[in-house]
Amino acid sequence: MTNGPAVLVEGLGKTYPGGVRAVDGISFEVERGEFFGFLGPNGAGKTTTIKILATLLPKTEGRVEVAGLDVTRDPKAVRQAIGVALQEVGLDDLSKGRDFLELQGLLYGLSRAEARERAAELLELVGLSSVADRRVGSYSGGMRRRIDLAGALMHNPGVLFLDEPTTGLDPQSRIAVWEHLEELNARGVTIFLTTQHMDEADRLCRRLAIIDHGHLVAEGSPAALKAGVGGDIVHVAFNSDDSADDRVDAALAAVRDLPGIRQADFAERGLTATVSDGGAAAPAIMTAFQDANLSIANLSITRPSLDDVFLQHTGRQIRDSDADGDAEDRMWSQWMGVNRR
Amino acid sequence: MLILRESYFIYVRNLKTWLAQPWMIVAAVLSSAFMFLFFGEPLRGITALPGFPADDYQAFLAAMVIVMAVVFSGSDMAMVLLTDMMSGYVDKLLLSPVNRFSILLGTLLIGGTRAMAQVLAIILVASAIGVRFEGGVLGILGVIVATTLLGVAMGCVGLIVAMRTRSVQVTVNSWLLFMPLAFLTSAFMPRDLLTGWFQVAVGLNPIEYIMVAVRAVIIEGWVWDSILPGIWILLATTAVLVGAATYEYRRATN
């Protein structure tokens, strides 16, 4: 590996044929050895960005260096330096787990003996030795992620790109994947991970960037980002069938006028407000709801989470964004002409 | 040569994928056996026509069964590639530092191998029902080599279809594209006995000349007047299609 940061992105933009702007001038850096999270809802530009970094997709403009190498000028060297596991993509269902790994090794220039040895080692690491000679198509979701991860590690890459490595996994499998990733990072592998799960980013990443609609909206350590929200979070769940109800708008307007309220937004049939002192603000918020004729189902006061960081920067909860999301996926399918999922 | 090493690895993977689907192989052999059974038997009497060049209709038909199987294998290759594109396996290969051309070569070679295996199976079936090969063992080898090459060429057409459309419905139905190539020929009846627009169309179909050459080797032996045009057309067609598939592949992976 040459000098420079693990990932350097300057003014990166991507416009798909047809004019959809998926990534709109983002810049960030990932240091060597870092565990970096790229956080955002579906369709925010995460997958496009990771595909550009991994040389799978050409960029429209900007400068991108991975492992000190320019992805456009020197794609082959970049490919040799990195390991990539995209969203449940690229598994060869008819191949046996062990054969899949050995072929990966051979394609990255390992000798047969090296590939055999490394495959056995990684099967052990990801806990798949007992099913190594079964076809990948027979693996469960968690096993598929783990064999894919092992495949990305065959050639000992210094930088690992993972696109939503735990999406769709049951809680136990998620934790197993997390533990493997933490172990790899502890051994010095730089990890660049995209996720739409705040808890995942919070647990794993030392630093993260939040992307929304192709723009970076925040960057920093999870602790610093949460501290940046400031104060407490008051969440009020109310009983109303329709969140577009006039009463809801009235309540929101009233809450926003209260003293000590920094931000208030609706999300998921409830209201989330950032306040300097939760205990002091709660009674006034309840009154505002009563005045608007809305009955409160539940009120909670918590310290900020990454969800609140996202809400603060985008005005939406990440889960809400899923509904209008998939724009990026749709566009990708359109470009490819196939439904990838 | 690094490209050869990489192509070989990808070829072996494709071979394993094919062998892991035994029904694909059974179906390929059965469909050819059915051709002899369902066309050869009822049309047996055609040999009595004045000017018909063979005494054994099954021997006449053997060339058609062989060439048609190989022509339609192009459609199978389209599906093979599309499956790998949709599962993302092609992306996985593109993410690795292998030469782009190795991936294409490993795929085209499997098209040739599948054609070769199928032709071998057809020759065994034909021998079993009593077809004699006038060209002898060398003739059989010649037919196998030629049809392997044709398998590569038809695989190119399949790959172009898959890469251009990236659509399951088009690719699954791409055998339609191969149908005129296979049937606008003297498959059932020598060209002299055909009439009208059909005879003209047959004369324009490159596959016809390849089929005539294969048939000559089977029913007449080494009749170079019938064989040579087939060889030139096969070589030219293969060269053009490999070129087109390479161009299309470059376009699709850049």
Side-chain angles (χ1 to χ4, degrees):
Chain A
M1 228 195 264
T2 49
N3 293 322
V7 177
L8 172 71
V9 173
E10 268 177 26
L12 171 65
K14 174 69 187 178
T15 308
Y16 282 97
V20 181
R21 185 87 170 145
V23 177
D24 194 14
I26 62 173
S27 302
F28 61 90
E29 259 184 50
V30 180
E31 292 307 319
R32 303 221 171 195
E34 217 175 352
F35 203 135
F36 186 84
F38 206 53
L39 192 67
N42 280 332
K46 300 190 301 289
T47 300
T48 299
T49 304
I50 206 168
K51 280 187 166 148
I52 293 170
L53 295 180
T55 75
L56 204 51
L57 205 58
K59 61 185 194 288
T60 309
E61 78 261 342
R63 178 167 156 227
V64 178
E65 284 180 17
V66 172
L69 302 154
D70 187 292
V71 291
T72 312
R73 270 200 301 271
D74 214 352
K76 215 167 163 177
V78 170
R79 289 179 195 128
Q80 186 70 50
I82 64 174
V84 187
L86 297 175
Q87 275 184 57
E88 236 218 290
V89 148
L91 287 175
D92 187 6
D93 281 348
L94 288 170
S95 123
K96 291 170 184 156
R98 187 191 307 279
D99 290 351
F100 170 74
L101 293 186
E102 288 182 8
L103 176 60
Q104 280 292 110
L106 294 171
L107 294 178
Y108 280 86
L110 269 56
S111 73
R112 271 189 193 284
E114 285 168 342
R116 201 169 304 138
E117 195 179 321
R118 181 82 177 135
E121 200 180 302
L122 286 171
L123 283 163
E124 196 64 44
L125 174 77
V126 298
L128 291 176
S129 296
S130 61
V131 293
D133 295 307
R134 269 170 48 187
R135 291 194 201 289
V136 172
S138 70
Y139 287 10
S140 71
M143 289 154 80
R144 292 172 72 83
R145 296 302 168 100
R146 271 141 57 200
I147 196 82
D148 201 19
L149 181 62
L153 293 170
M154 277 299 287
H155 59 296
N156 252 317
V159 188
L160 194 55
F161 289 95
L162 305 169
D163 192 19
E164 309 221 357
T166 65
T167 296
L169 294 190
D170 58 82
Q172 237 174 336
S173 308
R174 284 184 83 194
I175 290 169
V177 170
W178 287 351
E179 283 169 357
H180 291 312
L181 297 182
E182 281 167 337
E183 194 182 327
L184 286 169
N185 184 241
R187 292 189 199 175
V189 178
T190 308
I191 299 183
F192 180 102
L193 161 147
T194 74
T195 182
Q196 49 179 314
H197 301 295
M198 300 294 177
D199 53 337
E200 182 163 284
D202 209 358
R203 160 154 177 184
L204 295 175
C205 304
R206 257 177 279 167
R207 209 158 58 82
L208 42 96
I210 298 179
I211 184 169
D212 189 38
H213 293 308
H215 295 276
L216 283 194
V217 293
E219 199 186 328
S221 71
L225 286 170
K226 284 186 282 192
V229 173
D232 297 334
I233 304 295
V234 178
H235 183 79
V236 186
F238 51 82
N239 295 317
S240 166
D241 295 334
D242 182 5
S243 49
D245 197 312
D246 286 346
R247 291 175 297 165
V248 174
D249 293 336
L252 178 62
V255 169
R256 280 183 175 154
D257 284 343
L258 293 173
I261 304 280
R262 299 201 189 145
Q263 192 183 359
D265 291 287
F266 277 113
E268 284 192 3
R269 205 160 291 171
L271 173 143
T272 302
T274 311
V275 300
S276 36
D277 181 346
I285 292 175
M286 287 166 79
T287 309
F289 271 76
Q290 268 166 12
D291 291 349
N293 265 327
L294 273 176
S295 59
I296 293 177
N298 184 306
L299 183 144
S300 61
I301 303 170
T302 50
R303 303 291 305 154
S305 68
L306 281 179
D307 281 295
D308 304 310
V309 174
F310 186 81
L311 181 68
Q312 183 197 28
H313 288 284
T314 65
R316 306 190 319 282
Q317 277 199 340
I318 196 161
R319 281 183 297 278
D320 293 346
S321 326
D322 287 355
D324 76 302
D326 276 53
E328 186 187 9
D329 282 32
R330 253 201 321 274
M331 180 177 45
W332 172 251
S333 326
Q334 227 168 40
W335 185 66
M336 293 290 286
V338 289
N339 282 321
R340 296 177 66 83
R341 306 284 229 100
Chain B
M1 277 276 282
L2 189 59
I3 287 191
L4 289 184
R5 181 183 134 94
E6 293 168 352
S7 307
Y8 171 72
F9 294 144
I10 292 167
Y11 170 77
V12 170
R13 177 265 168 184
N14 291 338
L15 190 64
K16 283 185 181 167
T17 303
W18 182 46
L19 296 176
Q21 305 173 83
W23 276 106
M24 302 280 277
I25 299 162
V26 171
V29 174
L30 268 187
S31 70
S32 300
F34 282 170
M35 286 286 175
F36 284 117
L37 193 64
F38 301 143
F39 289 107
E41 276 306 310
L43 297 177
R44 193 182 273 275
I46 291 182
T47 50
L49 282 177
F52 197 86
D55 300 329
D56 176 7
Y57 190 68
Q58 301 283 24
F60 182 85
L61 200 64
M64 172 267 199
V65 178
I66 288 171
V67 171
M68 197 169 82
V70 176
V71 168
F72 281 115
S73 75
S75 176
D76 294 344
M77 286 309 296
M79 212 50 225
V80 166
L81 181 66
L82 191 73
T83 308
D84 280 346
M85 289 194 317
M86 305 234 329
S87 73
Y89 191 70
V90 170
D91 280 349
K92 178 128 282 174
L93 292 177
L94 292 175
L95 281 167
S96 75
V98 301
N99 191 300
R100 269 54 195 135
F101 195 67
S102 306
I103 305 173
L104 179 65
L105 203 58
T107 308
L108 286 180
L109 287 178
I110 196 68
T113 304
R114 290 174 66 145
M116 186 170 81
Q118 192 163 9
V119 169
L120 207 61
I122 295 170
I123 288 173
L124 289 176
V125 171
S127 305
I129 60 170
V131 170
R132 283 192 54 231
F133 290 80
E134 297 297 334
V137 175
L138 268 185
I140 291 178
L141 284 177
V143 166
I144 291 175
V145 170
T147 46
T148 301
L149 208 55
L150 183 62
V152 171
M154 292 297 114
C156 289
V157 178
L159 299 196
I160 293 170
V161 169
M163 286 186 286
R164 268 279 155 172
T165 68
R166 293 170 191 262
S167 144
V168 176
Q169 55 165 332
V170 174
T171 304
V172 163
N173 290 304
S174 63
W175 54 271
L176 274 172
L177 185 70
F178 295 94
M179 228 171 146
L181 286 177
F183 287 112
L184 279 178
T185 55
S186 57
F188 299 106
M189 191 77 88
R191 184 137 58 111
D192 298 342
L193 300 183
L194 301 171
T195 53
W197 68 267
F198 195 88
Q199 193 186 35
V200 176
V202 168
L204 296 173
N205 180 2
I207 298 296
E208 162 66 7
Y209 299 91
I210 297 164
M211 193 181 287
V212 164
V214 170
R215 187 162 53 221
V217 173
I218 298 173
I219 66 176
E220 292 177 287
W222 297 95
V223 183
W224 290 105
D225 282 351
S226 303
I227 296 172
L228 276 180
I231 293 179
W232 299 136
I233 286 181
L234 173 62
L235 292 177
T237 309
T238 308
V240 168
L241 289 174
V242 169
T246 307
Y247 170 82
E248 192 61 33
Y249 180 77
R250 279 232 171 99
R251 208 187 60 98
T253 54
N254 266 331

